[in-house]
Amino acid sequence: MASSQAPARLALLTGPSGVGKGTLVARLQERHPQLWLSVSATTRAPREGERDGVHYFFKTRQDFEALVRSGGLLEWAEFANNCYGTPRGPVEERLVAGIPVLLEIELEGARQVRKSFPEALQIFLAPPSFDELERRIRGRATESDDAIQRRLDRARAELEAQSEFDAVVVNDDLEAALLELEGLMGLAGSI
Ligand SMILES: Nc1nc(N)c2ncn([C@H]3C[C@H](O)[C@@H](COP(=O)(O)OP(=O)(O)O)O3)c2n1
Ligand SMILES: Nc1ncnc2c1ncn2[C@@H]1O[C@H](COP(=O)(O)OP(=O)(O)O)[C@@H](O)[C@H]1O
């Protein structure tokens, strides 16, 4: 059971594609405008409704590789045939300013952050079952069948790694998962 914590300066949320990270992060942002969600760089194509600079910084692979070479990324990883990374500057600026930062990143990135920011709160979001995860990612209808299969294959490895994290939240009932995340991140009661 999550107990309320002092507000985490840097927290990260990891979990398999389709588990509900984006849904819960959007709810956290609505309820806690002081929480800053890092906007990642990615080579993935925008989904319907996704806007550059809002949901992601959409990059060509060439531009992404230039970002890596320049040291402009705090972490990065390849996931399901695309690259994802966290622009370093905006995160460091907010941490210096005492603004709580949330990273929504996959497992390899979480492992990198664990090394560079050992004090970061690492939360794994798990589905109630693998079947439910598959139902959700297919029901979202944002990826091709091949992409869905790649993501489901990767999900098995991610689920195996959940014990590496400080806490695991099962996203079964959405409201319950939201309250649990707020408690872990020290946001409970700060609405
Ligand atoms: N390592 C890493 N660094 C990032 N900056 C980053 N931003 C997003 N991700 C993760 C989040 C997901 O686990 C995967 C795929 O994200 P996508 O938006 O394509 O798909 P979802 O189905 O999970 O919404 O990449 C990052 N990882
Ligand atoms: N607790 C939940 N119960 C049922 N469906 C959910 C729940 N949380 C999220 N979903 C749905 O699952 C799908 C994937 O959610 P999303 O937030 O896009 O996941 P992620 O960002 O982890 O890939 C979406 O259609 C979303 O509406």
mmCIF file of all heavy atoms in Angstrom, residues 16-23 104 132 136 140 171-174, ligand 2:
data_model
loop_
_atom_site.group_PDB
_atom_site.id
_atom_site.type_symbol
_atom_site.label_atom_id
_atom_site.label_comp_id
_atom_site.label_asym_id
_atom_site.label_seq_id
_atom_site.Cartn_x
_atom_site.Cartn_y
_atom_site.Cartn_z
ATOM 1 N N PRO A 16 4.881 -1.136 -19.718
ATOM 2 C CA PRO A 16 4.745 -1.608 -21.091
ATOM 3 C C PRO A 16 3.784 -0.739 -21.901
ATOM 4 O O PRO A 16 2.868 -0.112 -21.352
ATOM 5 C CB PRO A 16 4.210 -3.026 -20.939
ATOM 6 C CG PRO A 16 3.663 -3.118 -19.573
ATOM 7 C CD PRO A 16 4.404 -2.119 -18.741
ATOM 8 N N SER A 17 3.988 -0.722 -23.192
ATOM 9 C CA SER A 17 3.122 0.020 -24.099
ATOM 10 C C SER A 17 1.680 -0.448 -23.907
ATOM 11 O O SER A 17 1.402 -1.649 -23.909
ATOM 12 C CB SER A 17 3.582 -0.241 -25.534
ATOM 13 O OG SER A 17 2.811 0.493 -26.430
ATOM 14 N N GLY A 18 0.808 0.535 -23.690
ATOM 15 C CA GLY A 18 -0.616 0.207 -23.560
ATOM 16 C C GLY A 18 -1.082 0.050 -22.137
ATOM 17 O O GLY A 18 -2.276 -0.104 -21.875
ATOM 18 N N VAL A 19 -0.156 0.178 -21.157
ATOM 19 C CA VAL A 19 -0.571 -0.102 -19.774
ATOM 20 C C VAL A 19 -1.392 1.029 -19.176
ATOM 21 O O VAL A 19 -2.172 0.816 -18.259
ATOM 22 C CB VAL A 19 0.650 -0.432 -18.885
ATOM 23 C CG1 VAL A 19 1.523 0.805 -18.635
ATOM 24 C CG2 VAL A 19 0.222 -1.055 -17.571
ATOM 25 N N GLY A 20 -1.183 2.254 -19.694
ATOM 26 C CA GLY A 20 -1.964 3.381 -19.180
ATOM 27 C C GLY A 20 -1.113 4.543 -18.672
ATOM 28 O O GLY A 20 -1.611 5.435 -17.994
ATOM 29 N N LYS A 21 0.164 4.541 -19.048
ATOM 30 C CA LYS A 21 1.074 5.617 -18.575
ATOM 31 C C LYS A 21 0.544 6.980 -19.011
ATOM 32 O O LYS A 21 0.351 7.875 -18.192
ATOM 33 C CB LYS A 21 2.472 5.421 -19.155
ATOM 34 C CG LYS A 21 3.145 4.120 -18.788
ATOM 35 C CD LYS A 21 4.566 4.031 -19.344
ATOM 36 C CE LYS A 21 4.591 4.067 -20.864
ATOM 37 N NZ LYS A 21 3.891 2.951 -21.526
ATOM 38 N N GLY A 22 0.276 7.144 -20.305
ATOM 39 C CA GLY A 22 -0.158 8.441 -20.829
ATOM 40 C C GLY A 22 -1.457 8.899 -20.200
ATOM 41 O O GLY A 22 -1.616 10.085 -19.854
ATOM 42 N N THR A 23 -2.365 7.983 -20.006
ATOM 43 C CA THR A 23 -3.661 8.305 -19.396
ATOM 44 C C THR A 23 -3.481 8.822 -17.979
ATOM 45 O O THR A 23 -4.020 9.853 -17.598
ATOM 46 C CB THR A 23 -4.562 7.046 -19.382
ATOM 47 O OG1 THR A 23 -4.728 6.579 -20.727
ATOM 48 C CG2 THR A 23 -5.921 7.348 -18.768
ATOM 49 N N GLU A 104 8.441 9.971 -18.275
ATOM 50 C CA GLU A 104 7.706 8.764 -18.693
ATOM 51 C C GLU A 104 8.610 8.066 -19.694
ATOM 52 O O GLU A 104 8.701 8.469 -20.849
ATOM 53 C CB GLU A 104 6.377 9.144 -19.330
ATOM 54 C CG GLU A 104 5.534 7.971 -19.748
ATOM 55 C CD GLU A 104 4.321 8.389 -20.570
ATOM 56 O OE1 GLU A 104 3.843 9.539 -20.429
ATOM 57 O OE2 GLU A 104 3.852 7.548 -21.375
ATOM 58 N N GLU A 132 -5.132 -8.256 -20.511
ATOM 59 C CA GLU A 132 -5.702 -6.906 -20.437
ATOM 60 C C GLU A 132 -4.777 -5.917 -21.144
ATOM 61 O O GLU A 132 -5.239 -5.002 -21.838
ATOM 62 C CB GLU A 132 -5.917 -6.504 -18.981
ATOM 63 C CG GLU A 132 -6.379 -5.059 -18.759
ATOM 64 C CD GLU A 132 -7.733 -4.728 -19.377
ATOM 65 O OE1 GLU A 132 -8.460 -5.653 -19.796
ATOM 66 O OE2 GLU A 132 -8.027 -3.504 -19.468
ATOM 67 N N ARG A 136 -5.835 -3.545 -24.251
ATOM 68 C CA ARG A 136 -5.718 -2.080 -24.244
ATOM 69 C C ARG A 136 -4.923 -1.567 -25.441
ATOM 70 O O ARG A 136 -5.317 -0.608 -26.090
ATOM 71 C CB ARG A 136 -5.061 -1.611 -22.939
ATOM 72 C CG ARG A 136 -5.941 -1.813 -21.723
ATOM 73 C CD ARG A 136 -5.274 -1.329 -20.451
ATOM 74 N NE ARG A 136 -6.042 -1.736 -19.269
ATOM 75 C CZ ARG A 136 -5.630 -1.511 -18.017
ATOM 76 N NH1 ARG A 136 -4.465 -0.896 -17.793
ATOM 77 N NH2 ARG A 136 -6.376 -1.898 -17.000
ATOM 78 N N ARG A 140 -6.601 0.688 -28.319
ATOM 79 C CA ARG A 140 -6.162 2.072 -28.568
ATOM 80 C C ARG A 140 -6.026 2.329 -30.066
ATOM 81 O O ARG A 140 -6.162 3.445 -30.544
ATOM 82 C CB ARG A 140 -4.842 2.327 -27.839
ATOM 83 C CG ARG A 140 -4.374 3.761 -27.854
ATOM 84 C CD ARG A 140 -3.103 3.907 -27.053
ATOM 85 N NE ARG A 140 -1.979 3.224 -27.695
ATOM 86 C CZ ARG A 140 -0.771 3.128 -27.145
ATOM 87 N NH1 ARG A 140 -0.550 3.650 -25.939
ATOM 88 N NH2 ARG A 140 0.221 2.516 -27.769
ATOM 89 N N ASN A 171 -2.236 -0.881 -12.698
ATOM 90 C CA ASN A 171 -3.281 -0.008 -13.255
ATOM 91 C C ASN A 171 -4.494 -0.843 -13.645
ATOM 92 O O ASN A 171 -4.723 -1.133 -14.812
ATOM 93 C CB ASN A 171 -2.741 0.770 -14.464
ATOM 94 C CG ASN A 171 -3.802 1.700 -15.022
ATOM 95 O OD1 ASN A 171 -4.741 2.074 -14.317
ATOM 96 N ND2 ASN A 171 -3.669 2.072 -16.283
ATOM 97 N N ASP A 172 -5.285 -1.196 -12.622
ATOM 98 C CA ASP A 172 -6.526 -1.932 -12.880
ATOM 99 C C ASP A 172 -7.645 -0.887 -12.865
ATOM 100 O O ASP A 172 -8.039 -0.382 -13.904
ATOM 101 C CB ASP A 172 -6.703 -3.019 -11.798
ATOM 102 C CG ASP A 172 -7.821 -3.991 -12.140
ATOM 103 O OD1 ASP A 172 -8.504 -3.773 -13.170
ATOM 104 O OD2 ASP A 172 -8.027 -4.950 -11.378
ATOM 105 N N ASP A 173 -8.074 -0.500 -11.636
ATOM 106 C CA ASP A 173 -9.009 0.628 -11.555
ATOM 107 C C ASP A 173 -8.214 1.925 -11.693
ATOM 108 O O ASP A 173 -7.275 2.177 -10.914
ATOM 109 C CB ASP A 173 -9.734 0.595 -10.206
ATOM 110 C CG ASP A 173 -10.616 1.810 -10.033
ATOM 111 O OD1 ASP A 173 -11.728 1.804 -10.564
ATOM 112 O OD2 ASP A 173 -10.146 2.801 -9.420
ATOM 113 N N LEU A 174 -8.578 2.736 -12.657
ATOM 114 C CA LEU A 174 -7.780 3.936 -12.976
ATOM 115 C C LEU A 174 -7.687 4.896 -11.800
ATOM 116 O O LEU A 174 -6.592 5.382 -11.471
ATOM 117 C CB LEU A 174 -8.409 4.651 -14.183
ATOM 118 C CG LEU A 174 -7.573 5.784 -14.799
ATOM 119 C CD1 LEU A 174 -6.331 5.235 -15.493
ATOM 120 C CD2 LEU A 174 -8.395 6.603 -15.778
HETATM 121 N N1 LIG B 2 -7.184 1.494 -15.826
HETATM 122 C C1 LIG B 2 -7.549 1.336 -17.121
HETATM 123 N N2 LIG B 2 -8.545 0.495 -17.428
HETATM 124 C C2 LIG B 2 -8.920 0.315 -18.717
HETATM 125 N N3 LIG B 2 -8.359 0.942 -19.789
HETATM 126 C C3 LIG B 2 -7.325 1.786 -19.519
HETATM 127 C C4 LIG B 2 -6.875 2.021 -18.192
HETATM 128 N N4 LIG B 2 -5.846 2.928 -18.262
HETATM 129 C C5 LIG B 2 -5.666 3.215 -19.575
HETATM 130 N N5 LIG B 2 -6.563 2.549 -20.331
HETATM 131 C C6 LIG B 2 -6.694 2.570 -21.792
HETATM 132 O O1 LIG B 2 -5.636 1.764 -22.286
HETATM 133 C C7 LIG B 2 -5.122 2.317 -23.520
HETATM 134 C C8 LIG B 2 -3.629 2.594 -23.353
HETATM 135 O O2 LIG B 2 -3.484 3.656 -22.439
HETATM 136 P P1 LIG B 2 -2.261 4.672 -22.636
HETATM 137 O O3 LIG B 2 -2.377 5.705 -21.574
HETATM 138 O O4 LIG B 2 -2.164 5.110 -24.058
HETATM 139 O O5 LIG B 2 -1.023 3.682 -22.317
HETATM 140 P P2 LIG B 2 0.550 3.915 -22.464
HETATM 141 O O6 LIG B 2 0.755 5.406 -22.456
HETATM 142 O O7 LIG B 2 1.132 3.216 -21.265
HETATM 143 O O8 LIG B 2 0.935 3.271 -23.742
HETATM 144 C C9 LIG B 2 -5.924 3.586 -23.793
HETATM 145 O O9 LIG B 2 -6.960 3.283 -24.717
HETATM 146 C C10 LIG B 2 -6.504 3.937 -22.426
HETATM 147 O O10 LIG B 2 -7.739 4.633 -22.540
#
